[in-house]
């Protein structure tokens, strides 16, 4: 028996392993990566920040390419110089440059790596391997190399401005250009720690989007709970046509949110929208275009569409909860002379509490991460007045290609969701796990 | 449950169903109007119905291709997620392993993670792996929300299967794996099927990953494809209505056939029985 239970145990671990591994690889690891990314000035559209560097680095591909031209042109330039002072200045820059270059190549392994990269460049091959392309260098070295290159560029520009010799000026400004380019190949660490967080905590657009998300979540989930409970109470009885009601309630839930958002976009449209038209006719709004072109109209529109899409789902969850309440309780209450109102407060609500809390938890989390409904219906507009925090994060990440700052916003969403979950689970915790972990 | 339904109740029911279905009714009525009529008046019924919008919807944009993309991605996601989840859920509910509470906690927490929090690393990963604009490029991120949900729902279903059957199988000398295959799986099949439907609908409806990862028009899924029907200058409401009707029909059929299962799956995680 002992051996058998050991086998079962081992089998159990083997069976859980693939799922657990996947959860770690595709969920937990990416979340950790988001945290890590948020600590860098990391932008996909800027070559010197398109990687995360804890340490200073040299982009050898770029460096080798630029250095080849730079050293050649510098030699030529000192001969062209119109006066001895300028010539001396140029050769001074040249020898200092060689000094830095040799110091670089003398570093551990950099020399060999540089040779391989040079060969690749000579045969016009692009370098995809990051380990080959970038070489880590000492922070102090990178800093002094960059300082030197910046100063050299300034010196050359000064020479260009002082000189009357046109040929020399052109050559010198070319060299200044390659110095600038070489400078960009020396990449200092883009680790900025928590300063992105500091920036966003003072960013009014971030607070506005967080506020929008909260308003959306509280109003729509609140309305869905009240309406859902009403509907559940009303249809918790025997009647003909349960199937039709159930199906009609499930369809809004089952269609893609983006499709629902397109539909509502049509219904709200200022010119052709029937809902906007009727609202205007009934005097609810003074102009049909109000729904999608004003801040409050936009917020109303997304909340209304969300309530339409998810109230039925809420009603179903609560109905399932209602059906577990034994009828005998109500019969006993009737005998004792309790009114319907008293029965609702003393029997229905307390017994429905855990079903309500679970439904609220899932709905609140869903509403807080709202993305597709707003993205398709209003795009966050007008003037960011319906922009949720997820939309702001998406725009920063993918429209601005700013992965560092965008990750800060994603981490903020993550933390908010975590806080909401912890608060709810404090209330529901035991109910949610009850009877699930077996014996 | 003893309450009887009166006339007033049925009137309420009709009004309720009408309000819930109104957007669909209106979109359907719009889709059969000749495109010119949509912008001119608010009449409900057109006197000369036309299928012009349907033709436009299918030819102006590769709608059939979107539907196929969604179908392939959702099916692959469902198969992978449900297969891995059913094995894991069995071990978690039936076998004597340690840290069950912790594992359930991790699974539940993962299902609550906002997608925006993982999208940038996933995007980098998919790009580096060369999987942008492919089916696999969406299936991998879709595992992130389908696997935890599948484990969660399946665990509820497995929990309801009586232990006695398993005990007697054990006494008869069956190995744990045989027990799973011969006893548990047939009994759990309805639950597995229900879970599969819910995972499929979830994957079919996903928007954020599909929007960022498959950016080429031929690789778009239905939700993303539909949201791109509007161009910068005009919004072809006729095409959009027709496309909406076309992509909603399969869901309506799915819901009509499997409504009981869907409801049992949705409520299984939230109600103690």
């Amino acid at each position: 028996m002992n051996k058998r239970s050991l086998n079962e145990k081992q089998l159990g671990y083997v069976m859980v392993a693939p799922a657990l591994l996947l959860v770690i690889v595709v969920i937990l690891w990416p979340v950790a990566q988001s945290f890590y990314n948020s600590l860098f000035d990391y932008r996909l559209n800027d070559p010197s920040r398109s990687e995360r560097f804890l340490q200073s680095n040299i982009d050898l591909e770029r460096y080798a390419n630029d250095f080849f031209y730079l050293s050649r042109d510098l030699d030529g330039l000192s001969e062209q110089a119109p006066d001895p002072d300028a010539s001396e200045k140029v050769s001074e820059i040249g020898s200092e440059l060689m000094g830095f270059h040799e110091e670089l190549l003398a570093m551990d392994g950099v020399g060999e790596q540089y040779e391989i990269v040079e060969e690749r460049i000579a045969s016009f091959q692009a370098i995809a391997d990051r380990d080959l392309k970038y070489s880590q260098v000492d922070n102090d070295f990178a800093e002094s190399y960059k300082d030197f290159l910046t100063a050299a560029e300034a010196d050359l520009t000064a020479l260009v401005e002082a000189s009357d010799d046109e040929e020399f000026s052109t050559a010198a400004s070319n060299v200044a250009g390659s110095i600038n380019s070489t400078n960009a190949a020396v990449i200092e660490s883009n680790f900025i720690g928590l300063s992105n967080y500091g920036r966003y905590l003072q960013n009014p657009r971030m607070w506005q989007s967080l506020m929008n998300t909260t308003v959306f979540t509280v109003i729509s989930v609140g309305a869905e709970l009240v309406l859902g409970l009403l509907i559940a109470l009303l249809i918790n009885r025997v009647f003909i046509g349960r199937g039709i009601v159930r199906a009609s309630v499930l369809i809004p839930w089952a269609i893609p949110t983006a499709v629902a958002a397109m539909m509502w976009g049509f219904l709200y449209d200022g010119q052709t929208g029937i809902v906007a038209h009727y609202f205007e006719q009934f005097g609810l709004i003074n102009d049909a275009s109000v729904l999608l072109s004003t801040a409050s109209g936009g917020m109303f529109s997304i909340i209304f569409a969300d309530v339409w899409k998810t109230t039925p789902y809420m009603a179903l969850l609560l109905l399932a909860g209602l059906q577990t309440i034994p009828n005998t309780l109500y019969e006993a209450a009737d005998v004792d002379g309790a009114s319907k109102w008293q029965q609702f407060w003393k029997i229905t609500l307390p017994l429905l509490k855990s079903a309500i809390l679970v439904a609220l938890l899932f709905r609140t989390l869903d509403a807080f991460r709202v993305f597709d409904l707003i993205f398709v219906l209003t795009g966050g507009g007008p003037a960011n007045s319906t922009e949720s925090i997820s939309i702001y994060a998406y725009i920063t990440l993918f429209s601005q290609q700013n992965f560092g700052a965008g990750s800060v916003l994603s981490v903020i969403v993550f933390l908010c969701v975590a806080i909401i979950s912890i608060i709810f689970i404090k209330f529901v915790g035991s109910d949610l796990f009850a009877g699930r972990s077996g014996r | 449950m003893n309450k009887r339904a009166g006339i007033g109740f049925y009137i309420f029911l009709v009004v309720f169903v009408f309000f819930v279905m109104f957007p669909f009714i209106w979109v359907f009525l719009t889709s059969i109007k000749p495109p010119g009529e949509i912008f001119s008046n608010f009449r409900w019924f057109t006197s000369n119905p036309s299928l012009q919008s349907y033709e436009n919807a299918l030819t102006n944009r590769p709608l059939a291709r979107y539907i196929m993309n969604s179908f392939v991605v959702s099916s692959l996601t469902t198969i992978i997620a449900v297969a891995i989840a059913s094995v894991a859920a069995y071990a978690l509910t039936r076998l004597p392993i340690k840290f069950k509470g912790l594992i359930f906690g991790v699974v539940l927490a993962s299902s609550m993670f906002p997608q925006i929090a993982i999208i940038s690393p996933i995007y980098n990963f998919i790009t580096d792996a060369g999987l942008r604009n492919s089916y696999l490029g969406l299936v991998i991120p879709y595992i992130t929300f389908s696997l935890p949900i599948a484990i969660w729902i399946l665990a509820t279903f497995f929990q309801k299967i009586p232990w006695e059957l398993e005990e007697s199988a054990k006494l008869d000398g069956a190995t744990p794996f045989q027990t799973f295959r011969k006893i548990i799986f047939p009994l759990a099949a309805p639950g597995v099927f229900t879970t599969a439907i819910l995972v499929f609908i979830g994957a079919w409806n996903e928007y954020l990953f599909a929007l960022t990862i498959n950016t080429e028009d031929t690789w778009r899924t239905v939700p993303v494809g539909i949201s791109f029907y509007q161009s910068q200058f005009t919004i072809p409401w006729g095409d959009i209505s027709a496309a909406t009707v076309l992509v909603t029909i399969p869901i309506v059929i799915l819901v009509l056939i499997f409504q009981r299962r869907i409801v049992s799956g949705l409520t299984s995680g939230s109600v103690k029985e």
Side-chain angles (χ1 to χ4, degrees), chain B residues 1 28 47 51 60 68 102 116 123 134 147 155 170 223 267:
Chain B
M1 287 293 273
F28 173 71
S47 40
L51 290 177
N60 290 351
M68 189 183 84
L102 177 71
I116 196 80
Y123 173 87
S134 74
L147 187 66
K170 242 185 230 175
T267 52

Side-chain angles (χ1 to χ4, degrees), chain B residues 230-264:
Chain B
Q230 47 188 326
S231 67
Q232 194 112 39
F233 306 105
T234 57
I235 308 182
W237 289 124
D239 298 16
I240 293 170
S241 317
T244 304
V245 172
L246 288 177
V247 302
T248 308
I249 288 171
I251 295 168
V252 172
I253 295 173
L254 201 71
V255 167
L256 285 180
I257 300 177
F258 298 119
Q259 45 168 311
R260 273 168 204 284
R261 289 193 183 285
I262 295 175
V263 172
S264 81

Side-chain angles (χ1 to χ4, degrees), chain B residues 102-174:
Chain B
L102 177 71
I103 295 174
F104 268 119
V106 169
V107 167
L108 185 65
S110 315
S111 72
M112 292 174 185
F113 279 3
Q115 285 169 4
I116 196 80
I118 56 173
I119 184 132
S120 54
I122 295 253
Y123 173 87
N124 278 344
F125 168 70
I126 298 287
T127 307
D128 290 345
L131 291 173
R132 294 277 305 281
N133 297 308
S134 74
Y135 291 139
L136 203 56
L138 284 189
V139 172
I140 295 171
Y142 282 12
I143 296 292
T144 58
F145 60 88
S146 53
L147 187 66
I149 284 290
I151 295 178
W152 192 250
I153 303 174
L154 280 168
T156 323
F157 280 116
F158 286 172
Q159 201 64 51
K160 288 180 199 150
I161 297 168
W163 279 90
E164 292 74 25
L165 288 168
E166 241 181 313
E167 296 292 338
S168 52
K170 242 185 230 175
L171 288 179
D172 291 344

Side-chain angles (χ1 to χ4, degrees), chain B:
Chain B
M1 287 293 273
N2 60 346
K3 286 174 235 165
R4 284 274 139 219
I7 285 291
F9 176 75
Y10 282 106
I11 292 172
F12 158 78
L13 220 53
V14 169
V15 172
F16 171 68
V17 171
F18 175 77
F19 270 107
V20 171
M21 298 306 283
F22 174 74
F24 295 107
I25 298 169
W26 182 255
V27 164
F28 173 71
L29 291 174
T30 304
S31 72
I32 54 171
K33 286 179 185 169
E37 212 171 291
I38 297 169
F39 298 90
S40 56
N41 60 48
F42 289 103
R43 239 178 296 147
W44 279 56
F45 300 98
T46 176
S47 40
N48 41 352
S50 118
L51 290 177
Q52 186 60 41
S53 292
Y54 286 88
E55 200 187 317
N56 292 348
L58 287 165
T59 49
N60 290 351
R61 290 272 178 174
L63 183 63
R65 171 80 198 201
Y66 297 154
I67 293 176
M68 189 183 84
N69 292 344
S70 274
F71 187 77
V72 173
V73 171
S74 310
S75 307
L76 282 176
T77 305
T78 307
I79 293 167
I80 296 172
V82 171
I84 297 174
S86 54
V87 174
Y90 175 75
L92 282 171
T93 49
R94 295 285 158 145
L95 297 179
I97 57 173
K98 281 182 189 157
F99 311 117
K100 278 182 185 175
L102 177 71
I103 295 174
F104 268 119
V106 169
V107 167
L108 185 65
S110 315
S111 72
M112 292 174 185
F113 279 3
Q115 285 169 4
I116 196 80
I118 56 173
I119 184 132
S120 54
I122 295 253
Y123 173 87
N124 278 344
F125 168 70
I126 298 287
T127 307
D128 290 345
L131 291 173
R132 294 277 305 281
N133 297 308
S134 74
Y135 291 139
L136 203 56
L138 284 189
V139 172
I140 295 171
Y142 282 12
I143 296 292
T144 58
F145 60 88
S146 53
L147 187 66
I149 284 290
I151 295 178
W152 192 250
I153 303 174
L154 280 168
T156 323
F157 280 116
F158 286 172
Q159 201 64 51
K160 288 180 199 150
I161 297 168
W163 279 90
E164 292 74 25
L165 288 168
E166 241 181 313
E167 296 292 338
S168 52
K170 242 185 230 175
L171 288 179
D172 291 344
T175 66
F177 189 71
Q178 276 176 331
T179 320
F180 175 65
R181 205 166 56 87
K182 295 252 168 76
I183 310 278
I184 300 290
F185 197 78
L187 283 172
V192 173
F193 189 69
T194 303
T195 312
I197 297 172
L198 293 180
V199 169
F200 187 90
I201 292 178
W204 183 276
N205 293 356
E206 202 284 332
Y207 189 77
L208 182 57
F209 286 125
L211 175 73
T212 44
I213 289 171
N214 282 3
T215 44
E216 265 174 37
D217 201 26
T218 45
W219 291 101
R220 283 190 178 132
T221 57
V222 165
V224 181
I226 292 240
S227 72
F228 278 82
Y229 262 81
Q230 47 188 326
S231 67
Q232 194 112 39
F233 306 105
T234 57
I235 308 182
W237 289 124
D239 298 16
I240 293 170
S241 317
T244 304
V245 172
L246 288 177
V247 302
T248 308
I249 288 171
I251 295 168
V252 172
I253 295 173
L254 201 71
V255 167
L256 285 180
I257 300 177
F258 298 119
Q259 45 168 311
R260 273 168 204 284
R261 289 193 183 285
I262 295 175
V263 172
S264 81
L266 284 179
T267 52
S268 66
S270 62
V271 182
K272 279 191 293 180
E273 283 169 48

Side-chain angles (χ1 to χ4, degrees), chain A residues 15-94:
Chain A
M15 287 169 91
V16 174
L20 216 50
L21 208 67
L22 267 177
V23 166
I24 290 168
V25 171
V26 297
I27 307 175
L28 302 183
W29 176 242
V31 169
Q33 283 265 308
S34 277
F35 271 99
Y36 185 67
N37 289 352
S38 70
L39 303 176
F40 290 87
D41 184 11
Y42 175 29
R43 296 157 196 253
L44 292 190
N45 54 2
D46 179 343
S48 64
R49 292 166 179 162
S50 63
E51 298 283 330
R52 290 147 291 168
F53 295 116
L54 275 173
Q55 263 247 306
S56 293
N57 271 264
I58 303 260
D59 178 346
L60 280 180
E61 187 181 18
R62 192 164 176 186
Y63 178 80
N65 203 9
D66 290 332
F67 187 81
F68 173 77
Y69 294 109
L70 181 57
S71 58
R72 194 193 62 189
D73 294 349
L74 262 178
D75 286 347
L77 190 64
S78 79
E79 285 156 24
Q80 277 180 330
D83 60 291
D85 274 359
S87 166
E88 198 183 322
K89 186 79 215 165
V90 171
S91 46
E92 202 179 287
I93 291 174

